[in-house]
């Protein structure tokens, strides 16, 4: 069989995972980038994971992806966030060496002989009979393929803002991509503008570290990837905490007219949940200070990332504000913070495979879909990559349902919701979050990925060993009865007490004592969460009934009696693939779903 060639436009987190998924299936990849040295570059924060984002990383890894392994290979500090809450919403996060991370990501691709990097700007798509056939570059070269995946990040007509100055760029120091947006618009696609931003970087030697609070990671963390060799090397390099103050707030407030966001110079909408420092002082004016984290961008780096101080103020104002913070009185800027606005394509134009609805074999993934964050981009890239291969192989698509993973929640939210600001993943977005823990991502997805051909035999075998270990622990606990105050109680029931941990069973069940920490944690959590998960499973099964009801492609929503005018408008705009998707569209009411369901059933029997 001749393996088909797939083109990936862009070498960021989405592009890397898309390429890796395609290569895992044995197909050829041509990756088009503006700068080959920028593949895998972390344009903003030097970290991977966090709240809900850590779940995405674990799921990407469970499906054979790169992100978790690259983070483990470059980890400076590993910390589990949200530990004051239940285990299901704990968020694993790695602070990483940005240089090593990019190098590791790229090396996972370049080891494949089917991978080729082409440093030319794509300016047009070759389309015939509503099917993409390849791309044309700025050098007027034509490259043909069986599928194209667009993962251009913030580069499409990117415009950087620093104070009243603005200039064209994909990110600072890198040129923007022009013409491709117009090419896609000419194919009938809608587009919009969004905004994101990044904090300033300062010299480490200009910081008075004695005035700041050190913040260390976990002492004995588990790595993101089960492919990472144990024991996990944990450098635990500290970050440091600083605080803004009323002088900083006053300075920024008096200069809001210099901020492009408040002067009206930026047309794109920014993320509410990752606000700039200007947004913080306006929206949270009652607060006298805001916490900042100073994080090294790589090992022994003189370049410090100021997490929590995203801004697009003029360089002079940024520096004055920073020097008003205790410990930063002598701070020197290496690079100012900036805002960037860019083109994106509303995701109602996509199927659940991330293939476009109007042009076959054309896929969009990452920030071009209106999302925010490395992890969200990587998850989309993986899904687009595997589905591009399955599309050209004429195989069934690879779909992750909402009850199977955060990736499923992410994709479903994108294709059924109206994205009017950068989308960010939250645990609250997942209605089945008690079942979707970060520690059981492999149990939920690895076998599914193996059957689809993106998980290797060695990774699958590692999973089976871990699965058997967890099951043996659970079996030993379920079978054991222990004595407590002259009464017998099952070890399973005893473990479900909030004050009891699995280590309290070691004296009663010595056989489990020497199992791995990861296996013990998963087994313990499975038992403690069993009742909650059972209830979620019942709800999920009810939800899946609607997912199985496919909506005919040629349906005319205007002809369905009983649908509200708003429902007709929204359904025509989104064109859902099944009844479940239709039920999650804003403005479509339960009564509309009932009418739609009756109509579909009647159509089947006519």
């Amino acid at each position: 069989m001749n393996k088909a060639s797939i083109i990936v436009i862009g070498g960021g987190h989405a592009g890397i995972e898309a390429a890796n998924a395609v290569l895992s299936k044995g197909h050829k990849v041509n990756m088009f980038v503006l700068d080959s040295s920028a593949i895998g570059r972390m344009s903003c924060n030097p970290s991977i994971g966090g709240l809900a984002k850590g779940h995405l990383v674990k799921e990407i890894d469970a499906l054979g992806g790169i992100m978790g392994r690259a983070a483990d290979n470059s980890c400076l500090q590993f910390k589990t966030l949200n530990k004051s809450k239940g285990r299901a919403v704990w968020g694993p996060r790695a602070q990483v060496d940005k240089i090593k991370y990019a190098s590791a990501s790229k090396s996972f691709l370049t080891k494949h002989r089917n991978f080729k990097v082409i440093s030319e700007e794509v300016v047009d798509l070759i389309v015939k009979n509503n099917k993409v056939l390849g791309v044309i570059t700025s050098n007027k070269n034509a490259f043909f393929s069986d599928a194209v995946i667009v993962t251009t990040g913030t580069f499409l007509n990117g415009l950087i803002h620093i104070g009243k100055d603005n200039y064209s760029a994909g990110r600072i120091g890198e040129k923007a991509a022009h013409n491709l947006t117009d090419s896609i618009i000419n194919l009938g696609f809608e587009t919009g503008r969004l905004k994101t931003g990044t904090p300033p970087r300062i010299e480490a030697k200009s910081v008075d570290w004695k005035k700041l609070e050190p913040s260390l990671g976990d002492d004995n963390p588990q790595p993101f990837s089960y492919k990472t060799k144990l024991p996990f090397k944990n450098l635990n390099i500290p970050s440091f905490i600083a605080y803004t103050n009323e002088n900083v707030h006053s300075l920024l407030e008096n200069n809001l007219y210099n901020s492009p966001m408040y002067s009206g110079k930026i047309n794109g909408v920014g993320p509410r949940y990752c606000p700039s420092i200007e947004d913080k002082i306006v929206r949270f004016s009652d607060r006298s200070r805001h916490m900042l984290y100073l994080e090294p961008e790589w090992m022994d780096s003189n370049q410090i990332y100021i997490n929590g101080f995203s801004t697009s103020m003029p360089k002079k104002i940024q520096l004055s504000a920073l020097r008003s913070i205790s410990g930063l009185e002598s701070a020197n800027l290496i690079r100012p913070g900036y805002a960037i606005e860019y083109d994106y394509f509303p995701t109602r134009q996509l199927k659940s495979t991330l293939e476009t609805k109007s042009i076959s074999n054309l896929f969009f993934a990452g920030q071009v879909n209106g999302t925010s964050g490395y992890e969200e981009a990587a998850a989309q890239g993986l899904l687009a990559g595997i589905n591009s291969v399955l599309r050209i192989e004429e195989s069934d698509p690879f779909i992750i349902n909402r009850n199977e993973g955060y990736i499923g929640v992410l994709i479903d939210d994108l294709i059924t919701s109206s994205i009017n600001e950068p989308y960010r993943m939250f645990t609250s977005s997942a209605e089945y979050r008690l079942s979707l823990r970060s520690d059981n991502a492999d149990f939920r997805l690895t076998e599914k990925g193996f059957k689809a051909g993106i998980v290797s035999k060695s990774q699958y075998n590692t999973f089976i060993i871990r699965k058997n270990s967890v099951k043996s622990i659970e079996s030993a606990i379920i079978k054991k009865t222990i004595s407590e105050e002259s009464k017998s109680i099952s070890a399973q029931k005893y473990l479900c007490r909030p004050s009891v941990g699995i280590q309290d069973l070691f004296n009663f069940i010595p056989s489990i004592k020497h199992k791995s920490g990861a296996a013990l944690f998963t087994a313990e959590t499975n038992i403690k969460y069993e009742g909650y998960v059972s209830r979620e499973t019942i709800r999920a099964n009810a939800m899946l009934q609607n997912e199985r009801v496919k909506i005919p492609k040629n349906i005319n929503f205007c002809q369905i009696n009983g649908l509200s005018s708003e429902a007709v408008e929204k359904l025509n705009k989104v064109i859902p693939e099944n009844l479940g998707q239709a039920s999650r569209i804003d403005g479509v009411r339960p009564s509309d779903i009932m009418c739609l369901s009756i109509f579909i059933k009647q159509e089947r029997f006519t």
Side-chain angles (χ1 to χ4, degrees):
M1 172 183 175
N2 291 322
K3 299 296 183 183
S5 172
I6 291 177
I7 286 174
V8 176
I9 306 174
H13 303 283
I16 284 171
E17 295 295 350
N20 181 65
V22 173
L23 293 166
S24 297
K25 291 282 286 180
H27 288 253
K28 296 178 182 178
V29 172
N30 284 344
M31 176 179 280
F32 286 80
V33 294
L34 298 177
D35 178 3
S36 61
S37 67
I39 293 174
R41 183 171 291 169
M42 304 176 81
S43 55
C44 195
N45 55 307
S47 67
I48 295 294
L51 301 181
K53 293 171 177 283
H55 290 69
L56 289 174
V57 180
K58 295 287 282 188
E59 291 179 3
I60 290 165
D61 183 72
L63 291 168
I66 284 174
M67 179 168 269
R69 284 180 287 162
D72 290 343
N73 288 353
S74 56
C75 183
L76 297 179
Q77 181 197 108
F78 203 100
K79 190 170 189 175
T80 304
L81 308 182
N82 219 27
K83 291 189 77 171
S84 62
K85 304 290 179 63
R87 294 181 177 191
V89 294
W90 288 6
R93 178 185 186 268
Q95 191 175 308
V96 302
D97 181 318
K98 295 173 76 167
I99 296 173
K100 286 186 177 180
Y101 180 90
S103 177
S105 297
K106 189 174 181 179
S107 69
F108 286 125
L109 299 180
T110 54
K111 69 180 182 181
H112 292 275
R113 63 181 181 181
N114 283 339
F115 178 69
K116 183 178 181 181
V117 176
I118 300 173
S119 297
E120 294 187 37
E121 180 184 351
V122 173
V123 296
D124 203 355
L125 301 176
I126 303 170
V127 176
K128 185 177 181 180
N129 297 327
N130 294 323
K131 180 179 180 180
V132 70
L133 302 177
V135 302
I136 296 173
T137 68
S138 56
N139 296 339
K140 302 190 185 310
N141 293 322
F143 295 85
F144 293 89
S145 65
D146 290 310
V148 173
I149 306 173
V150 179
T151 68
T152 45
T154 60
F155 280 72
L156 292 184
N157 292 323
L159 188 66
I160 281 180
H161 295 267
I162 304 174
K164 295 181 179 180
D165 298 325
N166 61 68
Y167 58 92
S168 174
R171 55 188 167 209
I172 203 161
E174 298 180 50
K175 66 178 184 178
H178 301 288
N179 301 313
L180 184 56
T181 295
D182 291 338
S183 169
I184 294 174
I185 290 174
N186 289 338
L187 293 172
F189 287 88
E190 295 179 43
T191 186
R193 296 284 278 178
L194 290 176
K195 175 199 80 74
T196 189
T198 191
R201 275 64 159 179
I202 62 174
E203 289 184 345
K205 62 184 180 183
S206 68
V207 177
D208 187 348
W209 298 102
K210 297 188 297 296
K211 293 184 178 181
L212 307 183
E213 302 172 23
S215 176
L216 289 165
D218 299 339
D219 290 329
N220 297 296
Q222 290 290 326
F224 273 122
S225 178
Y226 288 109
K227 291 183 178 179
T228 298
K229 292 182 179 180
L230 298 176
F232 179 44
K233 186 178 180 182
N234 179 31
L235 298 176
N236 209 356
I237 304 298
S239 55
F240 288 82
I241 299 172
Y243 296 92
T244 63
N245 53 55
E246 292 181 350
N247 290 334
V248 175
H249 299 181
S250 178
L251 176 63
L252 294 172
E253 189 173 10
N254 291 336
N255 283 278
L256 284 177
Y257 67 93
N258 281 312
S259 169
M261 289 184 298
Y262 286 90
S263 64
K265 291 189 70 174
I266 292 181
N267 296 317
V269 180
R272 279 181 297 160
Y273 302 106
C274 188
S276 67
I277 192 65
E278 297 99 294
D279 278 332
K280 288 179 183 178
I281 64 166
V282 172
R283 288 166 52 188
F284 309 107
S285 57
D286 57 320
R287 297 188 185 179
S288 60
R289 67 177 190 174
H290 294 283
M291 184 183 291
L292 308 174
Y293 280 88
L294 275 66
E295 301 170 338
E297 296 218 296
W298 54 85
M299 188 67 178
D300 299 323
S301 169
N302 187 42
Q303 184 164 304
I304 301 299
Y305 177 92
I306 307 180
N307 195 337
F309 203 88
S310 178
T311 181
S312 57
M313 282 285 193
K315 183 177 177 180
K316 182 178 179 181
I317 301 300
Q318 292 186 37
L319 187 57
S320 295
L322 290 171
R323 287 180 173 175
S324 300
I325 295 171
S326 178
L328 307 186
E329 292 89 350
S330 301
N332 291 326
L333 276 181
I334 292 176
R335 191 172 89 194
Y338 63 87
I340 181 168
E341 56 178 329
Y342 54 93
D343 294 337
Y344 83 104
F345 299 98
T347 41
R348 61 176 175 271
Q349 301 169 104
L350 302 179
K351 302 175 185 177
S352 52
T353 59
L354 297 184
E355 182 184 21
T356 65
K357 292 175 179 176
S358 58
I359 305 296
S360 62
N361 295 38
L362 175 63
F363 295 77
F364 293 164
Q367 281 185 281
V368 73
N369 283 341
T371 59
S372 171
Y374 306 146
E375 301 82 3
E376 290 88 342
Q380 293 170 70
L382 186 149
L383 261 291
I386 180 58
N387 279 306
S388 67
V389 173
L390 295 174
R391 182 73 164 95
I392 63 179
E393 290 180 347
E394 298 183 349
S395 300
D396 291 337
F398 186 80
I399 306 296
I400 298 175
N401 292 317
R402 294 183 71 92
N403 66 311
E404 292 180 305
Y406 274 79
I407 296 176
V409 176
L410 165 66
I411 303 301
D412 188 70
D413 280 354
L414 288 178
I415 63 175
T416 60
S417 304
S418 298
I419 303 298
N420 52 20
E421 64 174 317
Y423 178 97
R424 178 178 176 176
M425 192 77 250
F426 289 99
T427 54
S428 58
S429 301
E431 62 269 43
Y432 305 107
R433 56 186 169 274
L434 296 181
S435 305
L436 307 180
R437 309 190 311 266
S438 63
D439 70 283
N440 70 0
D442 52 341
F443 279 77
R444 294 183 276 112
L445 296 172
T446 295
E447 188 159 356
K448 186 182 182 88
F450 180 67
K451 290 178 180 177
I454 53 172
V455 170
S456 67
K457 181 67 173 176
S458 62
Q459 180 177 352
Y460 182 69
N461 288 340
T462 299
F463 161 66
I464 292 299
I465 292 170
R466 175 171 137 75
K467 179 181 178 181
N468 290 339
S469 180
V470 170
K471 294 301 179 186
S472 70
I473 295 169
E474 292 175 357
S475 178
I477 293 172
I478 290 169
K479 292 176 181 177
K480 184 67 177 178
T481 299
I482 61 178
S483 296
E484 183 187 42
E485 297 178 355
S486 303
K487 294 181 180 179
S488 294
I489 182 174
S490 70
Q492 182 180 10
K493 190 173 182 180
Y494 181 69
L495 182 58
C496 287
R497 294 176 180 176
S499 60
V500 175
I502 199 165
Q503 69 278 0
D504 297 315
L505 297 178
F506 288 169
N507 289 334
F508 302 107
I509 316 173
S511 62
I512 68 173
K513 186 175 182 179
H514 301 292
K515 298 289 186 179
S516 73
L520 288 166
F521 182 88
T522 298
E524 177 183 7
T525 311
N526 285 347
I527 290 172
K528 284 181 176 289
Y529 274 59
E530 184 179 11
Y532 304 110
V533 171
S534 296
R535 289 193 287 273
E536 281 195 347
T537 301
I538 293 171
R539 295 207 317 271
N541 289 336
M543 178 269 292
L544 288 173
Q545 291 181 6
N546 279 344
E547 305 297 316
R548 297 187 187 104
V549 180
K550 303 300 180 184
I551 296 176
K553 292 182 179 179
N554 59 348
I555 193 169
N556 186 341
F557 295 110
C558 298
Q559 294 180 347
I560 301 176
N561 293 328
L563 283 184
S564 67
S565 298
E566 184 180 13
V568 171
E569 179 187 349
K570 293 293 181 68
L571 290 167
N572 276 321
K573 184 173 284 189
V574 175
I575 313 177
E577 299 165 72
N578 57 61
L579 204 59
Q581 288 181 8
S583 69
R584 293 186 290 275
I585 298 173
D586 295 336
V588 177
R589 299 171 297 191
S591 58
D592 296 316
I593 295 301
M594 181 66 71
C595 294
L596 180 56
S597 176
I598 292 171
F599 180 84
I600 293 171
K601 289 177 181 177
Q602 289 175 341
E603 286 292 298
R604 285 180 183 169
F605 298 105
T606 57

